[in-house]
Amino acid sequence: MKLPNLDEARKRTNNKVDYIYLDEHYDQNTFKGQKYFLRTYGCQMNVHDGEEIAARLESLGFTPTDKLEDADIVILNTCAIRENAHDKLYGFLGRCKHAKKDNKDLIIGICGCMAQEESVVKELMEKHPYVDIVFGTHNIHELQDLILKRSNKQDINVYSCEGEVYENISYKRDSNIKAWVNIQYGCDKFCTYCIVPYTRGKQRSRKSSEIIKEVENLVKEGYKEVTLLGQNVNAYGKDLEGELNFAGLLKEVSKTNIPRIRFVTSHPWDFTDEMIETIATCPNIMPYIHLPLQSGSSRILKLMGRRYTKEEYLKLFNKIKETIPNCAVTTDIIVGFPNETEEDFNETLDVVNTCKYDSAFTFIFSPRKGTPAAKMSDEVTMATKEERLHKLNELVNSYSLQANQKYVGQTVPVLIEGISEKDPNKVFGYTDTMKLVNISNAQDKIGKIIDVTITDAKSFSLDGEIK
Ligand code: 5AD
Ligand code: SF4
């Protein structure tokens, strides 16, 4: 089965990146008084897409609700990175089907990475006809039109090849203190386990002039922090002729004088000395790097198509730590890649023992249909994989605690973001190294960067006070 609109997308893009400047006007009275329920799963890219979806829904007059039963339209923004995403989608759809029994006019929409999977679209068409609209990651800009023009049959509008780069997008940002800024879409790396290049398409960088304009506007609006977003930010600009590289982009963003700049995610293969120097020398680029390892075994790294060896990773890690001494480094690790041996796994533990990461996201390999790794034979049992994950987590958490304990007694700048969810008498914020800090009696400091003395450390957070 081919996803609809492939030919149309090809015609529109001519198989190359084009820039479209949106100039949209919608009538906010169209759905006045009606409510939307938006649920987003997955990575920061999806979260930021959710901010675009919310703005689009509000441009038609919908207002938000967090109660499914009050909603007139439900949008589920899905993630496809691991298998359990399917359970989440179909579990949620069960609830939507039920809600539609009470409100037959309820509009149900599915988007995000799973909407880019042919098997999912097929299943939605065959088994879930009560879903009204399905759109992909390349055509979020069509959401209003999809809602306005929807017919009484299922409207599926998913491009199976990447679309253009759109500018002048409006976002309903979750925070007025820190903002996500896309710098590129898609990924060309095709790591053998990863579905992202299929669901988000090939790499398309935004023009640096557009990125800078967006950051300058955020500065004017009083934002204190931007996080530059991409699947592989270090490869920024490689797909555009005459464009800055990532280090060049960082330098330009630094000149906007936004107090804090972060970026995710970095691929070790594209990380250059110039980037390290830039992070070390620009005071508003935060000393925090998320540097996915995936595996410590060079044999497994080769099977994963990661393009670096254990030794090359460690060389890069050491260079980062030597040049940016206070830099925090976090990572992603997959255990149980097909036929990972005990020796392979021990290599991963060895890298963790060397790098002593500030924190790590750890996953059991999940075969994703259509990726090369899903076709690899695998003799390792799930019980062994779970055991390895448990062992890895214990090690990773012990280093997180160690890294946090070093902060006790230090006074460090913290950007205060809001009231703590767990304790209304406390506020929370992040250090420049991305450590979560809970602070007493500082409600008047929200939105400010202030010096906080760290009084206690746990594995996942710090406690602090203002002296
Ligand atoms: N199985 C398990 N983990 C995966 N990741 C990506 N694809 C898979 C998969 N098929 C992890 C990687 C990546 C993070 C975002 O998710 O570690 O860096
Ligand atoms: Fe997936 Fe690899 Fe691209 Fe990251 S770099 S999004 S893991 S293909």
Side-chain angles (χ1 to χ4, degrees), residues 237-251:
K238 288 188 178 178
D239 52 311
L240 291 181
E241 225 169 280
E243 189 45 278
L244 297 171
N245 62 16
F246 185 56
L249 178 71
L250 278 177
K251 284 177 203 154

Side-chain angles (χ1 to χ4, degrees), residues 74-106:
V74 175
I75 302 284
L76 184 61
N77 184 18
T78 61
C79 164
I81 200 102
R82 279 168 290 275
E83 183 63 30
N84 61 2
H86 288 82
D87 305 340
K88 283 186 193 161
L89 171 66
Y90 294 115
F92 182 82
L93 275 181
R95 284 180 59 201
C96 291
K97 192 177 175 186
H98 193 74
K100 204 159 178 160
K101 278 194 191 128
D102 297 331
N103 172 11
K104 65 176 177 31
D105 294 327
L106 177 67

Side-chain angles (χ1 to χ4, degrees), residues 187-191 193-197 231-232 267 294 306:
C187 179
D188 286 342
K189 282 288 178 283
F190 287 94
C191 301
Y193 51 82
C194 185
I195 200 159
V196 167
Q231 305 294 347
N232 176 12
H267 191 300
Q294 310 302 4
R306 289 291 288 176

Side-chain angles (χ1 to χ4, degrees), residues 136-187:
T137 57
H138 306 310
N139 62 328
I140 299 173
H141 59 278
E142 293 183 16
L143 176 57
Q144 289 103 322
D145 289 344
L146 268 170
I147 295 171
L148 291 170
K149 293 182 190 150
R150 90 186 174 282
S151 54
N152 50 17
K153 62 178 179 26
Q154 204 172 38
D155 284 317
I156 297 181
N157 202 351
V158 178
Y159 302 169
S160 65
C161 73
E162 49 283 337
E164 304 89 336
V165 169
Y166 283 82
E167 295 296 350
N168 298 355
I169 294 174
S170 299
Y171 296 100
K172 188 196 176 202
R173 297 191 189 269
D174 291 338
S175 160
N176 55 7
I177 298 168
K178 61 180 192 180
W180 307 110
V181 174
N182 274 331
I183 65 165
Q184 86 203 145
Y185 303 94
C187 179

Side-chain angles (χ1 to χ4, degrees), residues 128-141:
H128 304 274
Y130 56 89
V131 170
D132 299 283
I133 54 179
V134 182
F135 57 102
T137 57
H138 306 310
N139 62 328
I140 299 173
H141 59 278

Side-chain angles (χ1 to χ4, degrees), residues 5-263:
N5 288 328
L6 170 62
D7 291 340
E8 190 197 317
R10 288 231 166 98
K11 235 188 301 161
R12 289 157 59 115
T13 62
N14 204 12
N15 280 337
K16 67 173 176 53
V17 176
D18 267 331
Y19 285 84
I20 307 277
Y21 291 85
L22 293 170
D23 180 16
E24 302 172 314
H25 302 284
Y26 291 97
D27 182 357
Q28 277 196 296
N29 290 316
T30 319
F31 291 91
K32 201 173 167 195
Q34 297 201 25
K35 292 199 158 50
Y36 72 90
F37 176 98
L38 170 64
R39 175 161 294 178
T40 293
Y41 293 107
C43 66
Q44 293 97 334
M45 194 71 70
N46 254 27
V47 171
H48 191 36
D49 283 351
E51 294 182 327
E52 178 180 347
I53 291 163
R56 292 187 177 281
L57 292 168
E58 294 191 14
S59 76
L60 293 176
F62 290 106
T63 52
T65 175
D66 51 12
K67 290 199 189 82
L68 183 58
E69 53 280 18
D70 291 346
D72 299 283
I73 182 165
V74 175
I75 302 284
L76 184 61
N77 184 18
T78 61
C79 164
I81 200 102
R82 279 168 290 275
E83 183 63 30
N84 61 2
H86 288 82
D87 305 340
K88 283 186 193 161
L89 171 66
Y90 294 115
F92 182 82
L93 275 181
R95 284 180 59 201
C96 291
K97 192 177 175 186
H98 193 74
K100 204 159 178 160
K101 278 194 191 128
D102 297 331
N103 172 11
K104 65 176 177 31
D105 294 327
L106 177 67
I107 304 170
I108 301 173
I110 309 286
C111 64
C113 286
M114 281 180 78
Q116 292 292 147
E117 288 187 89
E118 287 190 14
S119 57
V120 172
V121 174
K122 197 161 176 264
E123 185 158 359
L124 290 174
M125 286 164 79
E126 286 169 2
K127 297 196 188 142
H128 304 274
Y130 56 89
V131 170
D132 299 283
I133 54 179
V134 182
F135 57 102
T137 57
H138 306 310
N139 62 328
I140 299 173
H141 59 278
E142 293 183 16
L143 176 57
Q144 289 103 322
D145 289 344
L146 268 170
I147 295 171
L148 291 170
K149 293 182 190 150
R150 90 186 174 282
S151 54
N152 50 17
K153 62 178 179 26
Q154 204 172 38
D155 284 317
I156 297 181
N157 202 351
V158 178
Y159 302 169
S160 65
C161 73
E162 49 283 337
E164 304 89 336
V165 169
Y166 283 82
E167 295 296 350
N168 298 355
I169 294 174
S170 299
Y171 296 100
K172 188 196 176 202
R173 297 191 189 269
D174 291 338
S175 160
N176 55 7
I177 298 168
K178 61 180 192 180
W180 307 110
V181 174
N182 274 331
I183 65 165
Q184 86 203 145
Y185 303 94
C187 179
D188 286 342
K189 282 288 178 283
F190 287 94
C191 301
T192 58
Y193 51 82
C194 185
I195 200 159
V196 167
Y198 308 91
T199 59
R200 297 231 165 227
K202 65 177 190 226
Q203 176 173 311
R204 287 102 65 217
S205 297
R206 282 179 74 195
K207 287 180 189 160
S208 54
S209 53
E210 296 293 336
I211 297 167
I212 302 302
K213 207 162 73 186
E214 185 174 344
V215 178
E216 281 171 349
N217 284 333
L218 290 165
V219 173
K220 275 188 211 139
E221 287 171 40
Y223 278 83
K224 296 293 187 308
E225 179 176 308
V226 290
T227 301
L228 308 180
L229 270 187
Q231 305 294 347
N232 176 12
V233 291
N234 314 94
Y236 170 80
K238 288 188 178 178
D239 52 311
L240 291 181
E241 225 169 280
E243 189 45 278
L244 297 171
N245 62 16
F246 185 56
L249 178 71
L250 278 177
K251 284 177 203 154
E252 289 307 307
V253 176
S254 173
K255 286 183 202 157
T256 65
N257 287 329
I258 183 108
R260 287 180 160 200
I261 301 161
R262 301 186 188 279
F263 52 91

